[in-house]
């Protein structure tokens, strides 16, 4: 019995000493601000590499043609969005109006193909343009269930205003190019669209 009590007393004194040492410890130093943890295998030098601006390095003449076409298209679209914003016209709406003036009577499916948009997107654009009175529908003379779309007088006026903004961007695109260079570029771009 004495032995058990002694063992229990010894265990209690160990606990008491551990408690005292915990209370005597210095408070922990405040943690430094959390740093971005390195992923295993990450090279610290690569974190400092910044891509060049458009027109330089791989985003310039050293770049892949497909990437450069995409980059040019994105820059052109952004410029068009900004230019058409004051007319409350989006670039896809401008394309649809342009195609309908060039090819009156297109169906929604035809518009989607020539405008290079999804049928769902063209459906939304058509509804919005029709609501605003910019286009109107008529049934196809042969296939009555197919709807044909044409630009209204109001739509033509909106397209003319939009075209003035678009032509300013077109002038920026061809600035510094000779007439022959423009012809070559147009042929090249048209061939890509036809051949790929």
């Amino acid at each position: 019995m004495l032995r058990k009590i002694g063992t229990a007393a010894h265990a209690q004194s160990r606990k008491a000493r551990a408690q005292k040492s915990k209370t005597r410890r210095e408070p922990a130093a405040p943690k430094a601000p959390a740093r971005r943890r390195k992923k295993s295998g990450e090279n610290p030098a690569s974190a400092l590499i910044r891509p060049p601006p458009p027109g330089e390095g791989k985003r310039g003449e050293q770049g892949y043609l497909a990437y450069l076409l995409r980059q040019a298209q994105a820059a052109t679209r952004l410029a068009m969005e900004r230019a058409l914003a004051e007319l409350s016209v989006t670039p896809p709406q401008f394309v649809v109006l342009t195609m309908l003036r060039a090819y009156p009577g297109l169906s929604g499916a035809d518009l989607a193909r020539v405008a290079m948009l999804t049928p769902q997107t063209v459906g939304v654009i058509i509804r919005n343009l029709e609501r605003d009175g910019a286009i109107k529908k008529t049934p196809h003379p042969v296939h009555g269930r197919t709807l044909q779309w044409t630009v209204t007088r109001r739509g033509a006026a909106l397209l003319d205003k939009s075209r003035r903004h678009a032509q300013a961007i077109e002038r920026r695109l061809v600035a510094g190019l000779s007439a022959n260079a423009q012809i070559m570029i147009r042929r090249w771009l048209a061939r890509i669209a036809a051949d790929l």
Side-chain angles (χ1 to χ4, degrees):
M1 184 83 171
L2 282 176
R3 196 168 187 173
K4 286 183 181 178
I5 293 173
T7 306
H10 183 67
Q12 283 179 351
S13 67
R14 256 189 298 159
K15 281 185 183 178
R17 279 191 299 239
Q19 289 279 7
K20 284 182 185 176
S21 67
K22 281 184 185 177
T23 56
R24 282 191 223 148
R25 282 188 191 159
E26 294 287 323
K31 290 186 178 180
R35 292 184 184 168
R36 188 174 155 250
R37 294 178 186 222
K38 282 198 296 184
K39 294 177 183 172
S40 60
E42 185 179 51
N43 182 353
S46 69
L48 303 176
I49 296 172
R50 297 277 183 250
E56 294 182 19
K58 291 288 187 182
R59 299 184 74 197
E61 293 176 14
Q62 300 171 22
Y64 292 104
L65 285 176
Y67 175 80
L68 295 177
L69 282 170
R70 180 177 170 82
Q71 178 178 248
Q73 192 275 336
T76 304
R77 181 180 172 119
L78 182 60
M80 285 289 283
E81 282 176 2
R82 291 175 177 161
L84 296 173
E86 69 180 63
L87 300 173
S88 299
V89 175
T90 66
Q93 288 173 332
F94 174 68
V95 169
V96 166
L97 286 171
T98 300
M99 291 300 146
L100 282 179
R101 179 184 269 175
Y103 313 107
L106 290 176
S107 68
D110 293 332
L111 269 173
R113 278 189 290 278
V114 297
M116 294 173 288
L117 298 166
T118 65
Q120 293 84 358
T121 300
V122 168
V124 171
I125 292 170
I126 284 172
R127 281 194 297 277
N128 290 338
L129 290 174
E130 183 185 27
R131 180 199 62 211
D132 295 342
I135 62 173
K136 66 179 179 180
K137 64 184 167 192
T138 54
H140 190 279
V142 177
H143 308 289
R145 294 182 64 183
T146 303
L147 297 176
Q148 295 181 303
W149 295 95
T150 54
V151 177
T152 63
R153 195 174 281 165
R154 183 175 184 169
L158 180 61
L159 180 57
D160 288 340
K161 289 178 190 173
S162 300
R163 189 167 280 160
R164 283 193 284 278
H165 292 279
Q167 285 169 342
I169 293 168
E170 187 83 7
R171 285 191 294 274
R172 287 174 60 193
L173 287 173
V174 299
L177 293 174
S178 68
N180 284 340
Q182 289 181 48
I183 290 168
M184 285 178 58
I185 291 169
R186 288 174 194 275
R187 282 182 186 158
W188 179 69
L189 291 172
R191 195 181 75 231
I192 289 172
D195 292 350
L196 288 186

